[in-house]
Amino acid sequence: QVQLVESGGGLVQPGGSLRLSCAASGSIFSINTMDWYRQAPGKERELVARITSGGRTTYVDSVKGRFTISRENGKNTVYLEMTSLKPEDTAVYYCGAIVVVTTNRREYYYWGQGTQVTVSS
């Protein structure tokens, strides 16, 4: 079994910054891509940022230049540094990862439980 646990959400004023973390643990052989998604009330979940095992990153257009995804492979952890936050960034943020498990060396996609980010004055 694999668990992903996010932390770092909260309330921040417009223009402020937050850093989200997501740590994976359990029966992990290796981790391929690691993602950050978000879901605002009444909207579909959207992919915000992705980082491959080799460090290649992609972002949704609305966060380019403001958010940075990174990872520490030795700690099985992915981060999302968010700056110049806007009210429209308000959402529940979820991490996800493609994990090769030790039991059968097959890939599965796992989700964290989500962390709330609220941008408001």
Side-chain angles (χ1 to χ4, degrees):
Q1 190 62 282
V2 173
Q3 299 81 39
L4 275 63
V5 179
E6 300 104 332
S7 60
L11 173 64
V12 63
Q13 293 187 342
S17 300
L18 278 177
R19 188 192 197 206
L20 306 183
S21 301
C22 173
S25 63
S27 304
I28 298 170
F29 177 75
S30 64
I31 301 178
N32 295 329
T33 60
M34 301 186 83
D35 302 325
W36 285 100
Y37 281 78
R38 68 185 177 187
Q39 187 166 21
K43 295 188 176 181
E44 293 187 354
R45 190 174 296 192
E46 70 169 348
L47 177 62
V48 176
R50 169 169 288 166
I51 185 166
T52 68
S53 56
R56 187 172 61 186
T57 59
T58 56
Y59 299 91
V60 67
D61 284 347
S62 59
V63 308
K64 285 180 181 177
R66 300 189 298 121
F67 290 11
T68 303
I69 189 171
S70 61
R71 62 191 286 174
E72 282 192 81
N73 290 329
K75 294 184 178 181
N76 291 332
T77 299
V78 62
Y79 305 97
L80 187 67
E81 189 78 37
M82 306 185 292
T83 64
S84 302
L85 282 160
K86 305 175 181 180
E88 51 264 42
D89 295 317
T90 296
V92 178
Y93 283 71
Y94 299 89
C95 69
I98 297 176
V99 179
V100 177
V101 298
T102 56
T103 50
N104 58 12
R105 301 290 178 92
R106 296 180 68 176
E107 289 184 340
Y108 298 90
Y109 197 91
Y110 291 92
W111 292 97
Q113 82 286 355
T115 186
Q116 176 70 47
V117 171
T118 302
V119 184
S120 174
S121 55

